[in-house]
Amino acid sequence: KSFLLLVTLVEEIVHYLTEKNHKAVERAILQDEEVNKITNLCLRLLSKKMNDRKKITVLANMLQSMEKLSDSFRDLALSCLKKNSFPSVKQQQELSLLAEKLRQIYGLYYHFDLEKVLLLNDSLRVMYHQISNEKTENNIYLYIHSILQKMESLTSGSIILNISGKEVLREEDWIR
């Protein structure tokens, strides 16, 4: 649920920033608290109910990356509102692409395909390096740069969990 809330939050923030809808951006920002609550609940459940320490570590890191991603998008939106400065058309396209890639990460987490995850991770790295050249030009690029790092962390966690070919969360991993 945390992942789905994050994807929804990101899509809404990107959409509302593109539309320059102040009130809707403010409402979407409030959803960050919901992501934080669900993430904290998931972290507590992991530590109490799961046996496999390696999986706990990877899943906890992924959950923390999701929370940080949510915070980064919230901070981007707050910065835009505070400065009354919204993304350029190019930045809107890049933010939309980030939202689309996050949706892909979400889908690949539940329907893992190593080849697709590696291709997605490569595309994130390419975008990261392209943005690196732009980041001093504009504050929005600093946020995009940071967001790309966190998204790559999510894909890496998905690879680690699934590389052995085992199911991510097997029934025997959980404490009864």
Side-chain angles (χ1 to χ4, degrees), residues 29-89:
I29 289 169
L30 295 175
Q31 290 180 352
D32 174 61
E33 282 303 313
E34 210 46 46
V35 172
N36 293 345
K37 287 177 189 175
I38 296 293
T39 301
N40 289 333
L41 174 64
C42 290
L43 287 168
R44 285 194 307 274
L45 287 172
L46 274 178
S47 64
K48 289 181 182 179
K49 299 285 185 180
M50 200 169 192
N51 287 324
D52 188 328
R53 290 283 164 213
K54 286 182 184 177
K55 285 185 183 178
I56 289 172
T57 301
V58 174
L59 287 168
N61 286 336
M62 289 180 73
L63 284 163
Q64 289 167 341
S65 291
M66 284 186 248
E67 185 172 351
K68 288 176 185 175
L69 256 173
S70 175
D71 292 345
S72 292
F73 274 96
R74 177 207 60 213
D75 293 345
L76 167 62
L78 285 170
S79 175
C80 289
L81 288 177
K82 182 178 179 182
K83 295 178 180 180
N84 200 27
S85 172
F86 289 86
S88 67
V89 172

Side-chain angles (χ1 to χ4, degrees), residues 89-135:
V89 172
K90 180 181 177 195
Q91 291 167 335
Q92 290 171 15
Q93 292 168 342
E94 290 162 339
L95 288 168
S96 293
L97 184 58
L98 286 176
E100 180 183 318
K101 289 184 183 294
L102 183 61
R103 171 75 61 183
Q104 291 172 3
I105 294 169
Y106 171 72
L108 287 167
Y109 177 79
Y110 290 104
H111 304 286
F112 186 77
D113 180 323
L114 181 59
E115 188 175 323
K116 288 180 181 177
V117 172
L118 291 173
L119 286 172
L120 180 57
N121 209 33
D122 287 345
S123 73
L124 291 172
R125 284 192 190 128
V126 166
M127 193 172 178
Y128 177 84
H129 291 295
Q130 290 170 342
I131 298 298
S132 293
N133 298 328
E134 310 261 358
K135 72 176 186 174

